Amino acid sequence: MKLILAIIQPSKLEDVKAALSDVEVVRLTIMDVQGFGRQKGQTEVYRGHEISVNLLRKVQLQIAVNEDFVEPTINAIIRGGRTGESGEIGDGKIFVLPLDDCIRIRTGERGPEAI
């Protein structure tokens, strides 16, 4: 089992959800997050003054999958989250972490069956 964390542009959320649905990944958690990487924030003008916005709005997806779904899930996130043909800075990142256990609260099932 793996936990996939993906940080994407908010505008790409619907495209990523559609791509995940195409590969039969329908269980995910979505959180609004803020951060910056190579973009280093952005500059905006507010009431005639230039201000620096250090944190950019992003969306984080948390998806627990069994081993068979790891690569299809990653490919779907890339397909839905990439801007244009070759992508752009700020498209996001995907992290794949080991998942030791999963427990379904309702039934008490554990492991891959609980996902």
Side-chain angles (χ1 to χ4, degrees):
M1 296 181 301
K2 301 287 184 186
L3 178 63
I4 299 175
L5 302 177
I7 300 172
I8 62 169
Q9 295 282 352
S11 61
K12 292 293 188 177
L13 179 58
E14 292 305 317
D15 293 339
V16 170
K17 284 174 30 183
L20 288 170
S21 180
D22 289 344
V23 294
E24 299 178 5
V25 175
V26 294
R27 295 176 178 94
L28 61 124
T29 301
I30 300 170
M31 297 188 312
D32 287 320
V33 296
Q34 294 181 5
F36 70 91
R38 285 188 177 170
Q39 292 170 296
K40 296 185 175 66
Q42 60 191 21
T43 303
E44 294 181 359
V45 177
Y46 178 72
R47 293 188 177 183
H49 297 288
E50 192 173 281
I51 58 171
S52 178
V53 179
N54 292 332
L55 300 174
L56 300 175
R57 184 171 174 261
K58 303 284 185 170
V59 174
Q60 179 179 341
L61 309 176
Q62 297 179 351
I63 309 166
V65 295
N66 293 316
E67 296 292 334
D68 295 342
F69 283 89
V70 173
E71 286 305 317
T73 302
I74 291 169
N75 293 332
I77 295 168
I78 291 171
R79 188 171 58 252
R82 182 176 281 164
T83 301
E85 200 61 30
S86 60
E88 294 180 6
I89 291 176
D91 280 347
K93 291 265 192 321
I94 300 171
F95 305 96
V96 181
L97 308 169
L99 185 59
D100 292 335
D101 203 359
C102 177
I103 299 107
R104 180 172 290 148
I105 294 172
R106 177 177 52 89
T107 62
E109 291 174 288
R110 293 185 85 121
E113 296 79 32
I115 292 179

